[in-house]
Amino acid sequence: MNKLDELKNIIDNSDNIVFFGGAGVSTESGIPDFRSVDGLYNMKYDYPPETILSHSFFMRNTKEFYKFYKDKMICENVEPNKAHYALAELEKAGKLKAVITQNIDGLHQLAGSREVLELHGSVHRNYCMRCRKFYDINAIINCDEIPMCDCKGIIKPDVVLYEEGLDNNTLTKAVNYISNADVLIIGGTSLTVYPAAGLIDYFAGRKLVLINKSATTKDSKADLVINSSIGEALSYAVGNID
């Protein structure tokens, strides 16, 4: 049995699957990966992206933050890819209990997934730091420099910046889903970003599957490792759900 058929067999024989995904899930939709060779971390800016995307930089250099954020973190007119749609189909079939993602693009929801835990927030949610009024993505896209609320407060993206902690409620739900899962499929992540990457240590189920184009530090612990396109792998395995 080849690896894709093995993945299909694992999916066919479980109704308690959790998916944990990273940037590689969205690169097939044209969204750049931070740490790849052509990713954001290898582009040239006045400051390193890690610095720009930090809480302290946001507070000190808000105008510069938004210049970068609007240019590189908001990708307009992107569509879900095969991976997003395959996961939505799995959920609809009652097999997938949750998608846990490190991505902030909202593509899982756009593809139809309902139970999506966004560890690092979403570009689609923004709020006033003063009055907490909610704003959608248009408030960021349509502003000239710094988006401001009617109350004169600064509008901040609901994304987790460097130096900020993850949301405790989201983390708790993620731990619960992973610790109770029969199958954990991890896709499109190098498993190097903590604390998110540490979540997989809570998995004690039957099958651990890793789908990533390059090797990860957890490959030796997996029951199945597929080094290929996550969209191709999932769409093949989910094609005709048994």
Side-chain angles (χ1 to χ4, degrees):
M1 185 184 294
N2 68 38
K3 288 191 172 186
L4 293 184
D5 285 324
E6 194 176 340
L7 174 62
K8 182 175 180 359
N9 187 54
I10 289 171
I11 289 173
D12 287 346
N13 288 289
S14 179
D15 60 0
N16 185 6
I17 302 168
V18 170
F19 178 81
F20 179 93
V25 178
S26 292
T27 52
E28 292 172 35
S29 290
I31 295 177
D33 175 4
F34 268 38
R35 290 169 179 80
S36 67
V37 176
D38 353 335
L40 291 180
Y41 278 37
N42 291 284
M43 296 179 182
K44 303 297 182 186
Y45 294 96
D46 291 340
Y47 304 89
E50 303 98 315
T51 299
I52 299 173
L53 295 173
S54 67
H55 178 82
S56 54
F57 189 91
F58 173 82
M59 299 302 292
R60 286 196 314 263
N61 302 283
T62 311
K63 183 177 172 182
E64 281 299 308
F65 169 89
Y66 272 112
K67 193 171 159 186
F68 177 88
Y69 183 83
K70 288 172 65 176
D71 186 34
K72 296 300 176 186
M73 303 304 292
I74 295 178
C75 300
E76 296 184 76
N77 305 315
V78 291
E79 298 291 335
N81 60 56
K82 290 179 180 179
H84 297 108
Y85 287 117
L87 291 166
E89 284 298 315
L90 275 182
E91 184 184 42
K92 198 184 299 179
K95 289 179 167 292
L96 183 75
K97 301 307 178 190
V99 168
I100 301 167
T101 180
Q102 298 175 85
N103 297 333
I104 60 174
D105 49 50
L107 290 180
H108 285 292
Q109 292 93 328
L110 196 57
S113 290
R114 294 189 174 184
E115 186 64 1
V116 182
L117 305 184
E118 296 172 309
L119 295 175
H120 296 153
S122 172
V123 296
H124 296 281
R125 296 190 303 270
N126 307 275
Y127 63 92
C128 171
M129 296 176 71
R130 178 182 290 177
C131 73
R132 309 300 289 186
K133 181 179 176 181
F134 173 85
Y135 287 88
D136 66 17
I137 195 169
N138 292 315
I140 309 298
I141 293 172
N142 297 329
C143 76
D144 291 330
E145 292 183 348
I146 300 174
M148 302 295 291
C149 178
D150 298 334
C151 76
K152 306 302 181 188
I154 294 173
I155 299 171
K156 182 183 183 295
D158 188 13
V159 299
V160 179
L161 302 176
Y162 288 99
E163 305 166 352
E164 295 179 344
L166 303 190
D167 177 73
N168 282 331
N169 290 334
T170 306
L171 270 179
T172 299
K173 287 182 73 174
V175 167
N176 286 339
Y177 274 121
I178 290 173
S179 59
N180 290 306
D182 171 50
V183 172
L184 177 61
I185 301 175
I186 300 172
T189 173
S190 57
L191 294 174
T192 57
V193 179
Y194 282 80
L199 288 174
I200 73 164
D201 294 333
Y202 290 94
F203 178 66
R206 186 171 55 88
K207 294 288 184 180
L208 175 62
V209 178
L210 288 179
I211 308 172
N212 200 50
K213 287 186 177 177
S214 56
T216 77
T217 56
K218 303 290 186 180
D219 283 9
S220 60
K221 295 185 177 181
D223 298 285
L224 176 62
V225 176
I226 300 175
N227 294 128
S228 71
S229 156
I230 186 168
E232 295 299 330
L234 285 178
S235 60
Y236 177 89
V238 175
N240 295 295
I241 303 172
D242 292 340

